[in-house]
Amino acid sequence: MTWQVLNPYDQECIGSVDLVEWPLIDRWLDEARALHEDRRAWIPVHERIAILQRAGALMRERAETLAMQIAREGGKPLVDARAETSRAIQSVELCVHELFASGGRQIPMDLTEAGAGRRAYTFREPIGPVVAISAFNHPLNLIAHQVGPAVATGCPVLVKPAKDTPLSCKSFVEILYEAGLDEHWCRFVPCTNDVAEQMVTDPRTAFFSFIGSARVGWMLRSRLAPGTRVALEHGGAAPVIVDEGVSHENVIPSLLKGGFYHSGQVCVSVQRVFVPRAELPDFAAELAAGAEALRVGDPTEEETQCGPLIRPAEVDRVEAWVAAAVENGARLAAGGKRIGPTLYHPTVLVDPPRDAKVSREEVFGPVVCVYGYDSIDAAIAQANELPYSFQAAVFTERLQIADRCVERLSGSTVLVNDHTAFRVDWMPFAGRRHSGLGTGGVGYTMADMSPEKMVITKR
């Protein structure tokens, strides 16, 4: 069996990968467990550093090829695909940096009489075989975030890419091999969903890293073998509060980037914007004008700002959600139409019903909803009413409003005067509630994959 990889823009086949069946995965899991249990087989830290350094250098040499591959298989505009490639290289380099900075710590023992006469310290050990399942929207950098830390910490890793975007994952794994990593330590595992579930829930899996939908992530977590550790990264419906009197010139460009980057196919994409009711007509008109001006088309062209959705079925879904919102009272300020089978125009909806899907569920498409509010507290309450909690934002020139939003907005991160889709790869990145479990970011993932062991000596 094979996966045919289609260019999401023109639906032309650009490649294929052979699927891996369970008997081979079963053997690979046995190999991974054996590698972890045989300490003589562990790759010395200095060799892991050298492998990652060589991998980063190879990625730099092939940066334009990798970026074009991201654009062709994932539909991300080339300018953004180049930025993703640069971030993936930095993610690999961050793994090396974290290894230089990592280590154990001393634990004071004589804080009470019971501990007197003892010394204690910790050091880190690899947790064991890692199974990673990734998403389509950042097909190179997400893989770097999941596989790079496993290699760095000395964990054997099996990685299943998204069905739509396996080529970038395959390229990354092959670069690791070329850089000197023995293939037994990292396996490229495109497979069907039922085989993936068998791999994830196998008791030989020590750590499960998942990036994708909440429905799938929480289902798999419920079926993990006892003892398997897990990190889940899902999505949300990111809220942004705009305070009264803030210059729209400082807000609109940021929201256009945060809402329509990769056509909204980002887990922290700007989706719900709350604006003082008196300012709503002008604000919505300015945001709509910016959305209408965005260039939509072939992601491999330099001028393109918004590319296709990953599959035609996603265009159908977004079209249906927008149509339902308009039918039930939302005002369509921009967009609201498909451009052929694979593109959907950047869309701005004004005051859609609070029970509409565009208001309550993650759109994962080029749709930004704008709501009028009568008080900051009412805006915060509406922003917090969904079961998601990831990144939120506020635009304000008043310190007290910034402080109030930071304290009261539900989110693992609250950005002040910036959009919700901002991220750098060394910062903690975490969904709360339905939005995920655990903390992403290269250093945080490495810590999860290398738990501390403590030594206590009695004098």
Side-chain angles (χ1 to χ4, degrees):
M1 292 177 61
T2 62
W3 280 343
Q4 299 296 313
V5 184
L6 304 182
N7 182 323
Y9 174 67
D10 57 20
Q11 296 296 289
E12 292 293 321
C13 181
I14 59 172
S16 64
V17 295
D18 294 328
L19 299 192
V20 182
E21 303 292 342
W22 174 251
L24 183 54
I25 295 173
D26 184 41
R27 193 182 86 198
W28 286 349
L29 283 170
D30 267 343
E31 290 177 350
R33 180 173 62 181
L35 281 174
H36 177 65
E37 291 178 350
D38 181 6
R39 289 175 176 262
R40 295 169 301 177
W42 289 9
I43 304 173
V45 177
H46 67 87
E47 291 185 18
R48 288 181 243 152
I49 289 172
I51 289 167
L52 291 166
Q53 287 174 330
R54 288 192 292 267
L58 289 169
M59 292 172 73
R60 285 195 184 280
E61 292 173 8
R62 302 168 193 175
E64 188 64 16
T65 299
L66 292 169
M68 183 61 72
Q69 184 169 253
I70 291 168
R72 294 186 69 218
E73 74 170 341
K76 180 175 288 185
L78 187 56
V79 63
D80 296 320
R82 288 182 179 131
E84 179 182 342
T85 301
S86 178
R87 285 181 59 190
I89 295 166
Q90 292 169 1
S91 295
V92 172
E93 293 171 344
L94 276 169
C95 290
V96 174
H97 172 79
E98 289 293 332
L99 283 173
F100 276 102
S102 66
R105 55 200 173 100
Q106 182 179 352
I107 310 297
M109 286 285 108
D110 57 354
L111 301 179
T112 66
E113 184 179 351
R118 293 166 176 83
R119 291 179 178 173
Y121 64 92
T122 69
F123 62 95
R124 292 191 173 275
E125 289 187 328
I127 195 170
V130 170
V131 169
I133 292 182
S134 205
F136 77 84
N137 54 336
H138 307 289
L140 184 61
N141 195 37
L142 293 182
I143 296 297
H145 269 253
Q146 294 173 289
V147 174
V151 173
T153 55
C155 294
V157 56
L158 290 77
V159 55
K160 176 192 176 294
K163 182 178 180 180
D164 297 294
T165 56
L167 302 180
S168 294
C169 178
K170 186 171 186 286
S171 293
F172 184 73
V173 172
E174 289 173 346
I175 284 172
L176 287 173
Y177 294 163
E178 190 175 344
L181 183 68
D182 188 288
E183 65 181 21
H184 293 87
W185 286 91
C186 181
R187 298 292 192 178
F188 173 65
V189 192
C191 59
T192 59
N193 290 339
D194 58 332
V195 172
E197 182 177 342
Q198 194 171 359
M199 175 173 62
V200 167
T201 58
D202 191 281
R204 290 167 290 186
T205 297
F207 189 86
F208 171 45
S209 171
F210 177 83
I211 303 174
S213 76
R215 178 184 62 82
V216 175
W218 292 114
M219 179 275 291
L220 289 173
R221 186 227 183 190
S222 72
R223 299 179 184 179
L224 293 179
T228 300
R229 272 36 181 180
V230 61
L232 306 176
E233 183 183 309
H234 302 147
V240 178
I241 294 176
V242 180
D243 190 16
E244 62 183 19
V246 175
S247 170
H248 295 180
E249 292 181 0
N250 298 329
V251 180
I252 298 296
S254 184
L255 296 186
L256 289 171
K257 182 63 177 179
F260 299 116
Y261 163 65
H262 200 7
S263 293
Q265 297 170 117
V266 181
C267 61
V268 286
S269 177
V270 170
Q271 182 172 325
R272 299 177 297 145
V273 181
F274 301 93
V275 180
R277 197 169 302 280
E279 300 178 25
L280 180 60
D282 289 343
F283 188 93
E286 293 172 34
L287 186 63
E292 292 284 2
L294 293 173
R295 173 114 179 222
V296 184
D298 185 344
T300 64
E301 294 182 359
E302 297 281 353
E303 299 80 11
T304 297
Q305 296 169 287
C306 294
L309 298 190
I310 192 64
R311 291 179 293 275
E314 292 302 297
V315 182
D316 296 339
R317 177 186 60 81
V318 171
E319 182 180 48
W321 284 21
V322 170
V326 172
E327 183 178 345
N328 287 283
R331 180 170 69 82
L332 185 63
K337 57 182 181 294
R338 65 192 303 151
I339 310 170
T342 62
L343 300 170
Y344 195 82
H345 199 288
T347 296
V348 176
L349 294 173
V350 181
D351 272 334
R354 287 170 73 159
D355 61 353
K357 285 189 174 181
V358 295
S359 296
R360 300 205 64 80
E361 299 183 29
E362 183 179 30
V363 175
F364 223 63
V367 178
V368 173
C369 302
V370 187
Y371 309 83
Y373 69 80
D374 297 312
S375 72
I376 283 283
D377 289 339
I380 292 172
Q382 188 173 346
N384 287 346
E385 70 183 6
L386 302 186
Y388 311 108
S389 179
F390 213 140
Q391 298 202 157
V394 57
F395 285 84
T396 182
E397 297 172 357
R398 297 188 290 174
L399 180 59
Q400 68 271 31
I401 295 298
D403 287 344
R404 189 186 307 180
C405 289
V406 165
E407 290 175 358
R408 300 184 186 179
L409 279 173
S410 176
S412 57
T413 299
V414 177
L415 296 102
V416 179
N417 296 328
D418 205 349
H419 61 75
T420 58
F422 172 81
R423 182 188 184 184
V424 291
D425 298 286
W426 55 88
M427 72 185 228
F429 192 68
R432 296 178 179 174
R433 302 173 70 191
H434 290 197
S435 292
L437 180 68
T439 302
V442 169
Y444 301 89
T445 300
M446 287 177 63
D448 281 345
M449 293 181 180
S450 57
E452 288 184 306
K453 176 182 281 187
M454 186 165 70
V455 179
I456 303 175
T457 61
K458 187 176 180 180
R459 296 193 296 274

